[in-house]
Amino acid sequence: MQLSIVVPVRNEAENILPLLAEIHAALDGAHLNIGDFEVIYVDDGSSDAPPQRLAEALARYARLRVLVHRERYGQSAALLTGFRAARGEWIATLDGDGQNDPADIPRLLAARDGAARAELQLIAGFRKNRKDVWLKRAASRLANGVRSRLLGDGTPDTGCGLKLIARAACLELPVFNHMHRFLPALVQRGGGATINVEVSHRPRQRGVSNYGVLDRLWIGIVDLAGVLWLKRRALRPQATELRRP
């Protein structure tokens, strides 16, 4: 299998069925030449009705797989669960709130194929025209600016949930809470290359955000220090095997 779609959700019952319909509409076209694909939803301890909606979706979509956390572990943990379960050689991620457009997934695939770089392991979407409130946009610009300057990851919008990642690279990532905010830098730390592709962004139509602004900003500062530590101590030994004469 070439492609897995991983969608972490928490309290997004109203968005599950509409987003699944959009994912299949975007990827069912034979012109994409991606072969078969799967969609993996990871419910991170929701307290509303996602399990019921996901059970309904399982009856509609043969490609859908559902994994449920017994309690809330966070978005990074939900992504990690999806990464480990995925069968595709490449994994596309998107947020479950409907603000990422699944129609942009083919754009990421085309960028991957057009780059033709053996070391390419991550294609990161960036939201040039975000449809969020001004406070969230301002906090994101501040966080992205500080992170980019300190980590040098060349990524203008690491918070965008729409990404395409080689599964082999996912399984080599260091595991910690909030790691999803630093995926480009962590992939680069392991020797992989990353590129950025502009994607669309939509206003939230259903439900409410599960994340605050200031809490993410302060937590991000602590996480940034940890990622800097990991990056400076990265080891990438290269060895040549001797052949018998």
Side-chain angles (χ1 to χ4, degrees):
M1 182 176 291
Q2 294 188 36
L3 182 66
S4 298
I5 316 297
V6 172
V7 186
V9 291
R10 180 167 65 88
N11 296 342
E12 295 288 357
E14 297 177 26
N15 288 304
I16 288 171
L17 293 176
L19 186 58
L20 272 169
E22 288 189 304
I23 291 171
H24 283 78
L27 297 178
D28 270 333
H31 65 283
L32 295 177
N33 194 31
I34 62 172
D36 199 11
F37 66 91
E38 64 179 359
V39 183
I40 301 174
Y41 263 65
V42 183
D43 177 46
D44 184 44
S46 294
S47 57
D48 62 352
Q52 293 88 334
R53 295 291 174 85
L54 287 168
E56 180 183 347
L58 281 170
R60 294 190 188 185
Y61 297 102
R63 293 187 178 98
L64 177 63
R65 300 167 60 198
V66 175
L67 302 170
V68 180
H69 286 169
R70 295 180 180 178
E71 57 187 85
R72 177 185 172 188
Y73 294 103
Q75 187 172 350
S76 287
L79 284 171
L80 184 62
T81 294
F83 291 165
R84 290 173 172 172
R87 302 177 182 132
E89 295 180 13
W90 286 81
I91 299 172
T93 67
L94 70 161
D95 292 336
D97 58 10
Q99 291 193 262
N100 297 139
D101 189 346
D104 282 323
I105 295 176
R107 182 179 299 182
L108 302 186
L109 291 166
R112 176 201 64 183
D113 296 340
R117 298 170 60 184
E119 72 276 14
L120 181 61
Q121 294 183 343
L122 183 146
I123 300 89
F126 75 93
R127 302 159 292 183
K128 188 173 182 179
N129 297 304
R130 287 189 62 172
K131 305 300 182 182
D132 285 320
V133 298
W134 72 269
L135 180 60
K136 185 175 288 188
R137 296 197 306 269
S140 180
R141 283 196 298 269
L142 174 62
N144 278 312
V146 173
R147 186 214 70 256
S148 181
R149 179 177 294 274
L150 292 178
L151 296 182
D153 59 9
T155 306
D157 183 16
T158 191
C160 179
L162 192 55
K163 295 181 175 68
L164 181 66
I165 318 169
R167 181 176 182 270
C170 291
L171 300 181
E172 295 294 329
L173 293 172
V175 177
F176 58 93
N177 201 11
H178 307 124
M179 61 175 281
H180 67 279
R181 299 175 184 166
F182 301 95
L183 286 178
L186 294 174
V187 167
Q188 292 169 13
R189 173 185 177 271
T194 68
I195 59 175
N196 305 294
V197 175
E198 183 179 340
V199 296
S200 59
H201 191 242
R202 308 183 292 192
R204 177 185 273 272
Q205 299 295 324
R206 296 168 291 270
V208 295
S209 175
N210 293 300
Y211 305 101
V213 175
L214 296 179
D215 56 342
R216 289 201 295 177
L217 183 61
W218 293 117
I219 290 172
I221 292 173
V222 176
D223 293 334
L224 179 59
V227 175
L228 275 169
W229 185 90
L230 285 171
K231 183 178 178 182
R232 290 173 179 173
R233 286 155 180 80
L235 293 175
R236 294 195 295 270
Q238 298 181 5
T240 303
E241 183 177 357
L242 295 180
R243 303 295 182 181
R244 292 185 178 86

